[in-house]
Amino acid sequence: MSAALELHRIGHAYFGQSVLNSIDLQIAPGEVVALVGPSGSGKSTLAHIAAGLVEPREGRVTPGYARHAMIFQEPRLLPWATAAQNIGFALRRAKLPRRLRPARVAEAARLAELEPQDLAKYPVELSGGMRQRVAIARALAVRPDFIFFDEPFTALDVALKRRMQDLVIAAAEEAQFAALFITHDLVEALRIAHRIAVLDLRGRGIAGLRILPGDPGARDEATTFALRQRFLTEDPLFRHIHDVDERRRP
Amino acid sequence: MTRILADRAARLLDFLWSGWAGLAALALLFACWQAGHETWGDFILPDPLATLGATWSLAISSESRGLLLLTAQRALAGFTLAAFSGAVIGIIAGYAPAVMRLARPLLTVVLGVPPIAWIVLTMMWFGTSGATVAATILISATPVVFVAAAEGIASRDRGLGTMAEVFRYGALGRFWFIDLRQAAAPLFPALALALGTSFKVAVMAEMLANAGGVGGALARARAMLDVPQALAWVVLAVIALVVVEYGLIRPMQAEIEGWRRAAQPWGVKK
Ligand SMILES: Nc1ncnc2c1ncn2[C@@H]1O[C@H](COP(=O)(O)OP(=O)(O)O)[C@@H](O)[C@H]1O
Ligand SMILES: [Mg+2]
């Protein structure tokens, strides 16, 4: 089976300042890979390159998926459009006949656990969590087989974060998409992903990969906690994940 | 469909209700006017009722309606030109910082020249014709539109553009659905301002260039020291401006910027 996404020796620099170097990564269809790394290590840049938004200085991106979507740290909703219109915004370019769009919007809203009455509201009328749900629904509406998540839940409080993670796990099971899930929260990565990739502190390659046991949906609390303990105390790969000061980057 | 109509109706009622405040302000203005009239006498400040009477008789005479229409046409023609060229150059400047850097000092110079000086210049260029009026409006009203359009584009939320790109919008789609929409927020107040400038400059240019219209009529009233007549023309010109602004610019703005009402605590929730 060919990969849903293949990154081959990706390198990038901003204004002559190297950000990423020889990044190799393959993601299988239906596989969720969490990419962890401290802030400023180039995760967002890598996601933009992988999604074709930024042309890499070096290397090659080979997408094997049919349709992608992205969920950003901020919801990035159109303030002048209602929640339903925001979800529909993605569908205008999805080659879906106009008359089928309302049903698709409703389906996506259900997957993102949005209440029907919230669909008529404007983003200013929604809470932060609801806005991010709309962004998730917008991504799911195009029925992507690959989703890029760029630290989507960082701005949410702990309880809400967990509910959103559960939502993504359930949606991934139902909709069967592959994903690159960027986060700097190890527990989040352990809950959501099939595999964890750790980005080098300075973006010099993928420092290492760890395969997580079982399917994300079947992984219970105790397993997640045990994994976290093991990775943080015994695995040198995760030694620097929490102790980096991005201000000291070159 | 009925929802949209109901929404429109609600907005109209809301607008009419807010008209009470406007009416109160007008009543206050007329009270001050009346007081001024009683203090300084008929020659300086005529009776407001007499002025309204003069306005009414002007409004029902087809000859003066023709003059008003001529001025309004000139103002609108100049405004359309100014709005279009200001928006186009402004949008280009919003995307291209180099154009912006070039335009800024030019703008300072252009804005530093009083409109009256432009009238003198355009009179010498175009003679006493509608072209003089249009050119003066173009020069006076373009800068506000330019600045607003440039600011609107330059300060756009680039994250929305990236989002649209993810969902397969091309450069044109992003411009149309994202950037232009964001520029609308500063653009509409600027357009209202430019429209006001257009009417004022039109009257002024007509008066100085003796090009007929309301300005010409004002010049005649001045020559005959007919204060009620002059005031009546002023009132008519203001009414024409208000009609155009609330009949054209505001409805467009309400249509495009309607979502902001949702943010207001008293906004109508569906
Ligand atoms: N558009 C840009 N122009 C210049 N430098 C950038 C740009 N985007 C990111 N950078 C720099 O690249 C580095 C990596 O950024 P980013 O990919 O956002 O990291 P992360 O998402 O891991 O926090 C940072 O040092 C950041 O300052
Ligand atoms: Mg980032």
Side-chain angles (χ1 to χ4, degrees), chain A residues 179-198:
Chain A
L180 179 65
F181 194 106
I182 292 171
T183 176
H184 58 242
D185 177 350
L186 183 56
V187 175
E188 184 166 79
L190 291 170
R191 295 196 72 215
I192 281 180
H194 295 99
R195 207 148 52 103
I196 294 189
V198 180

Side-chain angles (χ1 to χ4, degrees), chain A residues 14-15 17-20 37-48 150-151 182 184 199 246 249-250:
Chain A
Y14 285 116
F15 307 113
Q17 179 120 170
S18 169
V19 180
L20 293 169
S39 148
S41 56
K43 304 185 296 299
S44 294
T45 305
L46 187 61
H48 280 66
D150 190 0
E151 306 195 39
I182 292 171
H184 58 242
L199 193 62
E246 79 282 2
R249 277 179 51 82

Side-chain angles (χ1 to χ4, degrees), chain B residues 70-79 81 119 122-123 125-138 198 201-203 205-207 209-213:
Chain B
L70 180 64
T71 302
Q73 259 169 15
R74 285 169 170 169
L76 277 179
F79 167 74
L81 270 177
I119 296 175
T122 50
M123 257 169 68
W125 293 335
F126 301 108
T128 59
S129 66
T132 303
V133 183
T136 315
I137 293 174
L138 183 64
S198 301
V201 170
V203 171
E206 280 173 349
M207 183 166 171
N210 200 14

